[in-house]
Amino acid sequence: MAGSGETRYELYYWPSIQGRGEFIRLALEDAGASYVDVARLPDSQGGGVKAIMRLIDGKQGGLLPFAPPILKVGEQLLSQTANILQFLGPRLGLAPANDEGRAAVNQIQLTIADFIGEAHDSHHPIASSLYYEDQKPEAARRARIFLAERLPKFLAYFEKLLARNGGGGYLVGDALTYADLSMFQVQAGLAYAFPVAWARESLRHPLLVALRERVAARPRLAAYLASERRIPFNQHGLFRHYPELDAV
Amino acid sequence: MAGSGETRYELYYWPSIQGRGEFIRLALEDAGASYVDVARLPDSQGGGVKAIMRLIDGKQGGLLPFAPPILKVGEQLLSQTANILQFLGPRLGLAPANDEGRAAVNQIQLTIADFIGEAHDSHHPIASSLYYEDQKPEAARRARIFLAERLPKFLAYFEKLLARNGGGGYLVGDALTYADLSMFQVQAGLAYAFPVAWARESLRHPLLVALRERVAARPRLAAYLASERRIPFNQHGLFRHYPELDAV
């Protein structure tokens, strides 16, 4: 897809999960951007987890990242998902033209970041460095409250954003932004992790569900989702399916 | 402090805690900006928690906030701490002039947001809606790992940012930004919440400690910190002091 002179993006993210990197992948894929998912290349081609570690170790210069996802554009390194998306948004045609609209998209993206952090912590309430199996009672307790209180509260908020925006089914303005792509991904993750709770909640949030379907039907995104580039959900990412946490 | 024609900012945040709102207050105070801390006014003057709730309920128009802090500037509503700071930064002289520097400050601010989220969850690992007393065993477990793994990891990262930046003791570039103010606040909060752990960690992070002292000595900030506008730390905010969580 790379034309001559076109910007070439290098994404550095864990090669075996969707995780937070998927929010970046979706933006790049929807825009048909030219990018390399570096850590998914073999080690012999400079890929693998080692490629991420070289940036985290700070041996390559640029602003030090705390954790992936990391985007490399020329010599500039960017990290933090919402920060990367804010950089990419205008360049990929996925952000409003005016500053107020861009701040709105950023605000929503940051609220999505809070939400997925809570979704993650429902299976890892004590520490990411411990196995789920080592924090099961705590996870059961946290997940129960997450599903009863937090999930409905966040979804009602996002649904209300769609209802208040007269823009034809997008979160901000009258055209798709990266926040809409992220909102698709959040729903896909919830449907994987909490199928029982999601079946109930999705009935209450028709505008969100319509947004998810609209995004999934975009030609480039549909092609991506059907490709091998889309890593399947699994038990190592942000969203994990433990049936015992999905009880009502 | 309001000159005629000067922008007047309205901050909406819980009136009895520092919390996330304090990161906004510090920027406004350091810049000598004209602002009203609306919820700290009496109800009879349109203040109190009710003033926040009117914005959260969405009855006033503007982009719906999920939670405070909220900044009102004319008719524009902004929420999410890092988003508000990104808006204020250039207007208050607390951000670099160029886009790359601004993205760097935003990236650091988002990493600070992750860090303080983890600091909060060390005393509330199960749910913010439950009392600490209802999640003490889980908090003891989470806090132990927070102090042993996460605190040193985050502090080492921020220390390294200072070491790598040849800019005279600031996180980005050669002048103070809102991320430096936030880094002061993080250290103040940690010293309150975890005095034992902090005494140990601060010895290992001299550049961070020097930054904290440099920020605290800024004339406007020193005046603010000594004033009644600075709400003391207490057991309701992000940072809470439970001696049993501060054990080595």
Side-chain angles (χ1 to χ4, degrees):
Chain A
M1 282 178 277
S4 64
E6 194 181 343
T7 304
R8 182 171 166 281
Y9 300 103
E10 291 182 12
L11 172 66
Y12 293 76
Y13 194 68
W14 308 120
S16 57
I17 60 170
Q18 292 186 20
R20 287 181 172 81
E22 195 67 12
F23 297 96
I24 315 296
R25 292 188 185 114
L26 289 176
L28 293 165
E29 290 282 350
D30 187 72
S34 168
Y35 79 102
V36 182
D37 203 339
V38 179
R40 295 177 75 182
L41 298 174
D43 286 33
S44 60
Q45 291 175 40
V49 169
K50 280 181 191 169
I52 302 172
M53 289 309 160
R54 277 193 292 272
L55 298 183
I56 301 266
D57 289 347
K59 288 173 190 153
Q60 303 226 338
L63 182 66
L64 194 67
F66 183 75
I70 304 160
L71 189 74
K72 190 160 186 277
V73 191
E75 290 307 302
Q76 188 176 1
L77 283 189
L78 295 119
S79 65
Q80 282 284 353
T81 308
N83 188 51
I84 295 171
L85 287 170
Q86 196 171 42
F87 174 91
L88 287 175
R91 290 167 175 80
L92 300 182
L94 294 172
N98 65 327
D99 284 345
E100 187 167 343
R102 288 184 188 179
V105 173
N106 185 47
Q107 172 178 319
I108 294 168
Q109 192 67 40
L110 291 173
T111 308
I112 288 173
D114 288 344
F115 184 27
I116 62 177
E118 294 194 23
H120 170 273
D121 286 2
S122 71
H123 55 76
H124 274 69
I126 300 300
S128 294
S129 62
L130 296 176
Y131 290 112
Y132 166 65
E133 286 69 21
D134 294 327
Q135 49 194 314
K136 281 180 76 166
E138 296 95 337
R141 213 178 157 208
R142 178 151 184 161
R144 202 157 49 237
I145 298 175
F146 174 74
L147 293 183
E149 297 176 6
R150 303 300 287 172
L151 179 68
K153 182 172 175 171
F154 275 103
L155 292 177
Y157 170 72
F158 295 122
E159 181 82 3
K160 216 186 265 189
L161 287 181
L162 288 168
R164 284 162 67 97
N165 181 27
Y170 300 111
L171 285 161
V172 176
D174 58 3
L176 181 127
T177 69
Y178 61 79
D180 296 305
L181 299 176
S182 295
M183 205 65 244
F184 156 83
Q185 175 65 8
V186 167
Q187 293 182 71
L190 291 170
Y192 167 76
F194 303 105
V196 175
W198 181 250
R200 185 180 63 238
E201 288 297 336
S202 59
L203 293 176
R204 297 177 185 156
H205 301 101
L207 299 177
L208 280 172
V209 170
L211 173 63
R212 180 185 174 192
E213 290 168 358
R214 194 173 311 117
V215 169
R218 290 170 69 84
R220 285 201 195 100
L221 218 58
Y224 167 65
L225 296 173
S227 76
E228 292 196 349
R229 298 195 301 288
R230 173 78 164 182
I231 301 165
F233 284 110
N234 59 43
Q235 300 297 74
H236 306 285
L238 268 174
F239 296 104
R240 306 189 192 182
H241 177 52
Y242 299 112
E244 63 273 22
L245 299 185
D246 188 25
V248 183
Chain B
M1 283 179 276
S4 63
E6 194 181 345
T7 304
R8 184 171 164 279
Y9 299 103
E10 290 182 15
L11 172 65
Y12 293 75
Y13 193 69
W14 309 121
S16 56
I17 60 170
Q18 292 185 21
R20 287 180 173 81
E22 195 67 12
F23 297 96
I24 315 296
R25 292 187 185 114
L26 289 176
L28 293 165
E29 291 282 350
D30 187 72
S34 168
Y35 79 102
V36 183
D37 203 339
V38 179
R40 294 178 76 181
L41 297 174
D43 286 34
S44 60
Q45 290 175 39
V49 169
K50 279 180 190 169
I52 303 171
M53 289 309 160
R54 277 192 292 271
L55 298 183
I56 302 266
D57 289 348
K59 287 174 189 150
Q60 303 225 339
L63 182 67
L64 195 67
F66 183 75
I70 304 161
L71 189 74
K72 191 161 185 278
V73 191
E75 291 306 303
Q76 188 176 1
L77 284 189
L78 295 119
S79 65
Q80 282 285 354
T81 308
N83 187 51
I84 295 172
L85 288 170
Q86 198 171 39
F87 174 90
L88 287 175
R91 290 167 175 81
L92 300 183
L94 294 171
N98 63 328
D99 284 346
E100 187 167 343
R102 289 182 188 181
V105 173
N106 186 47
Q107 172 178 318
I108 294 169
Q109 191 67 40
L110 291 173
T111 307
I112 288 174
D114 288 345
F115 184 27
I116 62 176
E118 293 194 24
H120 170 273
D121 285 3
S122 72
H123 54 75
H124 274 69
I126 300 300
S128 293
S129 62
L130 295 176
Y131 290 112
Y132 166 66
E133 286 69 23
D134 294 328
Q135 49 195 313
K136 280 181 76 166
E138 295 94 338
R141 213 178 156 206
R142 179 151 184 159
R144 202 158 47 237
I145 298 174
F146 174 75
L147 293 183
E149 297 176 7
R150 303 300 286 173
L151 179 68
K153 183 172 174 171
F154 275 103
L155 292 177
Y157 170 72
F158 294 122
E159 181 82 4
K160 216 186 264 188
L161 286 181
L162 287 168
R164 284 163 67 96
N165 181 28
Y170 301 110
L171 285 161
V172 176
D174 56 4
L176 180 127
T177 68
Y178 62 79
D180 296 305
L181 299 176
S182 295
M183 205 65 245
F184 156 83
Q185 175 65 8
V186 167
Q187 293 182 71
L190 292 170
Y192 167 76
F194 303 106
V196 175
W198 182 251
R200 186 181 61 238
E201 288 297 336
S202 58
L203 293 176
R204 296 176 186 158
H205 301 100
L207 300 177
L208 279 173
V209 170
L211 173 63
R212 180 185 173 193
E213 289 167 0
R214 194 173 311 116
V215 169
R218 289 169 70 83
R220 287 201 194 101
L221 219 58
Y224 167 66
L225 295 173
S227 76
E228 291 197 350
R229 297 196 302 287
R230 173 77 164 181
I231 301 165
F233 283 110
N234 59 43
Q235 299 297 73
H236 306 284
L238 268 173
F239 296 104
R240 305 189 194 182
H241 176 52
Y242 298 113
E244 65 273 22
L245 300 185
D246 188 25
V248 183

